[in-house]
Each structure stands twice: as structure tokens, then as C-alpha cells.
Amino acid sequence: MNRTMLFATIALSAVYLTGCAAQSTSDGSEQHCRETGFAAPFNAVDPCDGEAVLTTALVAVFGYRPVEQADQRDTAAAAQPLLTARLAEQAETSAVTWGPVTATVWQRWREERTSVHTHVRVSHDDHPPDTATTLARVAVVELDATGAAPTTFPVYATVSRPGPATGWLLSGLRVLS
């Protein structure tokens, strides 16, 4: 590879890697996300990476631990640092309806001490255009409970932020049944 191609490759890589971190404002200046991070256990998540926040938040919201948690509201409460205040408030009453797991199944999992592993994959389906403050994706959530066939379901999820200099938070989700 000659020097010109090497420098072009490095420059294009740098643009690709930083393109999502900088947002242009209407006056042409750039604003960079300056969020410092989440507290443990989410401290490895970059709050400036919308898809990373969305994926991690969905893993947390659907990260069922029926042996330790009374129901899905406890799971959503554990995800609270990744949720907007409005969505966290909604979770207090509606988290039990967010996924396909019924109260009967949850209770059986508690009694049988079932372990559940949650996997989330952002699909490549069409989605609304990203903006500086909103990102929406279709994700596929898979619950893999010991001794049962995996349960897979789509989730329409949105992360948002007050401005381009702030971090993303899960602000909406809708599970299709």
C-alpha cells in the first residue's frame, strides 16, 4: 500500500469512527457529546453511543432474574440509570406487560430457580432517520430460559437526549406480540 492510500485509509477510518460523536449545529459549528458515563454496572457503556445505550438498556430491561426479582418491574428498576425519568416512571406500572412472559411463567421460573439469559440484536430493518437527539431502532430480543425453547420477540425502541452534547437514554419501547 502506498503512502497516499495509507493516509487516505487512516483519514476515512477516523471520519467513520468519529462521525457519530460529532453533530453539526444549524450555524455549522460542531457539538460533541461530553457525557462522562454511567455508574456501575453500566460503566462500560459509552453514553454517547446511541445504539450501545439502546442495546444495553434492552438487555437490562429484559434481563430477567426470577430467582432474585419479584417480577419484571424489579428488572426495569435495575435498568433505571439507562432510562429517561418518564420511561422509568411508566415501568413501575407497565413493565410486567412489556414482554411475552406472563405472571404464571415468571412464578414457575421463580419456583424452579430458572436461569434466564437475555440477548439483544439491533436489526437492519428500516427505521426513522436519526436526528441529533433521537434514534429509533427495531431490536430482536431473545430470552433463553434453562430447560425451555428460546423466546424471541421484536422491540421498537427509541433513545433520546436533550441535546447533542448529552448522553442517550432509552425513552420508549414497544413490544410486538
Side-chain angles (χ1 to χ4, degrees):
M1 179 181 283
N2 68 34
R3 280 179 82 128
T4 304
M5 287 190 68
L6 176 63
F7 288 123
T9 302
I10 292 170
L12 285 173
S13 297
V15 167
Y16 174 75
L17 292 173
T18 60
C20 293
Q23 298 289 332
S24 294
T25 61
S26 60
D27 66 1
S29 64
E30 286 188 349
Q31 289 188 350
H32 296 277
C33 178
R34 293 187 294 270
E35 199 68 42
T36 57
F38 296 106
F42 306 113
N43 52 323
V45 180
D46 179 0
C48 299
D49 182 340
E51 280 198 15
V53 172
L54 183 141
T55 303
T56 304
L58 291 177
V59 168
V61 165
F62 296 106
Y64 299 154
R65 296 186 317 270
V67 174
E68 303 165 28
Q69 299 166 325
D71 60 27
Q72 295 93 321
R73 291 175 294 201
D74 286 349
T75 305
Q80 186 176 10
L82 301 171
L83 310 178
T84 61
R86 182 172 169 255
L87 187 60
E89 185 179 316
Q90 288 175 352
E92 292 175 15
T93 58
S94 58
V96 294
T97 64
W98 284 353
V101 177
T102 65
T104 303
V105 170
W106 188 277
Q107 191 56 40
R108 186 181 39 154
W109 284 352
R110 270 181 76 76
E111 291 167 1
E112 295 175 359
R113 306 189 60 74
T114 301
S115 178
V116 180
H117 299 280
T118 305
H119 309 280
V120 173
R121 170 181 60 80
V122 174
S123 76
H124 297 288
D125 288 350
D126 288 339
H127 55 77
D130 297 343
T131 71
T133 58
T134 305
L135 182 144
R137 296 290 186 269
V138 177
V140 178
V141 177
E142 180 179 296
L143 302 177
D144 189 8
T146 306
T151 300
T152 303
F153 54 97
V155 176
Y156 291 111
T158 304
V159 290
S160 59
R161 59 187 178 174
T166 59
W168 297 97
L169 293 171
L170 187 67
S171 57
L173 64 89
R174 188 173 54 129
V175 177
L176 297 181
S177 45

